[in-house]
Amino acid sequence: MAISQFADHPLTTIHWPLLYSDSVLPETSSIRSLFLAGPAGRLEALLNAGSPNATHAAVVCHPHPLHGGTLHNKVVFHAMKALNGFGFPVLRFNFRSTGLSEGEHASGVGEVGDVRAALDWLEREFTVPVIFAGFSFGSAVGLRTAYSDDRVRALIALGLPAVPVEDRVYDFPFLRECVKPKLFVSGSRDQFGPWGKLEALVNTFADPKKLVRIEAGDHFFEGRLKEMRLAIEDWVCETLLANAAVD
């Protein structure tokens, strides 16, 4: 397994009241506001437009909605920017009960269907392979759908939880047989993915995979969003675009 590291910097103070409430304003150009038909009602979504000759589309899933996670989360936004920078159209949506999305929170079980609804929409809108990306809860939930969906060709997990959080236990046995390209990016000080436990977990997953360690980064990549974004961009270049050039 490849492990990359980014340089150490001082750690910025964390604010805890709503773990994932930091957000950025949506862009005002090349963006489309829409609603998806979800299994529990309509889902609020934003599409950042791609180029006409895009080779892939992408979906990015946000962190835990009960702790302030939405499609405007900073990590989600920067992941979108990294993928959209290649000309890929990128879809972000609010899980059920979040923002203007209908339905009730379903503890990550029903939300798997929300991810599938997003993939269904992308399939109808575009005819290209899909890249899945998710942050924290979004990665844990989305991976359960994306790993076996033939429309998804590559997986990106940011801040993947590796230890129990409150009453939630995170385990990913299905990735032991998943041979899709996989990127995992986490901070060396991630509170919900202690490095040793995360590395041991990722070691059980099938190749191809890459684990990137952001030095001095916490779960939220506070002060390290640039390094996180570069990790995604580098991996896309070396894994997806390089392979496409060979094909």
Side-chain angles (χ1 to χ4, degrees):
M1 175 182 62
I3 299 180
S4 298
Q5 298 186 10
F6 282 85
D8 185 89
H9 295 279
L11 183 63
T12 305
T13 302
I14 300 167
H15 301 283
W16 292 95
L18 283 176
L19 296 184
Y20 304 106
S21 60
D22 283 348
S23 64
V24 293
L25 293 175
E27 294 181 328
T28 57
S29 61
S30 301
I31 190 167
R32 175 181 167 193
S33 178
L34 63 140
F35 286 94
L36 313 177
R42 68 179 192 172
L43 301 172
E44 180 186 14
L46 292 175
L47 178 76
N48 284 79
S51 63
N53 59 346
T55 59
H56 296 75
V59 59
V60 185
C61 294
H62 69 74
H64 208 295
L66 297 188
H67 297 290
T70 75
L71 61 81
H72 298 302
N73 173 268
K74 288 183 178 180
V75 174
V76 171
F77 178 83
H78 281 268
M80 176 278 294
K81 291 292 288 183
L83 295 166
N84 192 236
F86 291 100
F88 306 155
V90 183
L91 181 71
R92 291 171 286 159
F93 69 93
N94 276 331
F95 284 116
R96 60 185 65 192
S97 79
T98 305
L100 298 179
S101 291
E102 298 175 338
E104 297 182 359
H105 179 68
S107 301
V109 179
E111 284 80 1
V112 168
D114 297 346
V115 180
R116 188 170 296 112
L119 294 174
D120 291 343
W121 187 89
L122 283 172
E123 181 181 28
R124 291 192 297 270
E125 194 78 6
F126 306 101
T127 56
V128 293
V130 175
I131 302 168
F132 164 80
F135 170 42
S136 193
F137 173 88
S139 66
V141 170
L143 287 172
R144 298 182 185 279
T145 301
Y147 89 97
S148 62
D149 194 307
D150 291 339
R151 297 170 293 191
V152 179
R153 301 294 178 82
L155 311 173
I156 300 173
L158 309 168
L160 184 71
V163 295
V165 181
E166 296 176 345
D167 60 342
R168 303 185 298 278
V169 177
Y170 293 102
D171 190 22
F172 309 95
F174 50 86
L175 293 182
R176 297 171 189 165
E177 306 297 329
C178 176
V179 295
K180 296 178 181 180
K182 296 171 287 296
L183 172 67
F184 302 91
V185 185
S186 288
S188 63
R189 301 180 186 177
D190 191 321
Q191 301 89 317
F192 307 118
W195 188 256
K197 291 186 178 296
L198 178 64
E199 188 174 11
L201 178 64
V202 174
N203 274 331
T204 68
F205 301 159
D207 290 324
K209 61 196 174 189
K210 182 176 183 180
L211 175 59
V212 176
R213 171 185 171 116
I214 306 296
E215 289 299 332
D218 64 1
H219 183 64
F220 316 95
F221 301 98
E222 192 70 31
R224 302 289 176 274
L225 289 168
K226 179 180 178 180
E227 290 94 325
M228 184 210 75
R229 183 168 164 177
L230 287 172
I232 295 172
E233 291 170 350
D234 288 348
W235 181 79
V236 169
C237 285
E238 69 189 28
T239 303
L240 301 181
L241 299 187
N243 290 343
V246 171
D247 295 342

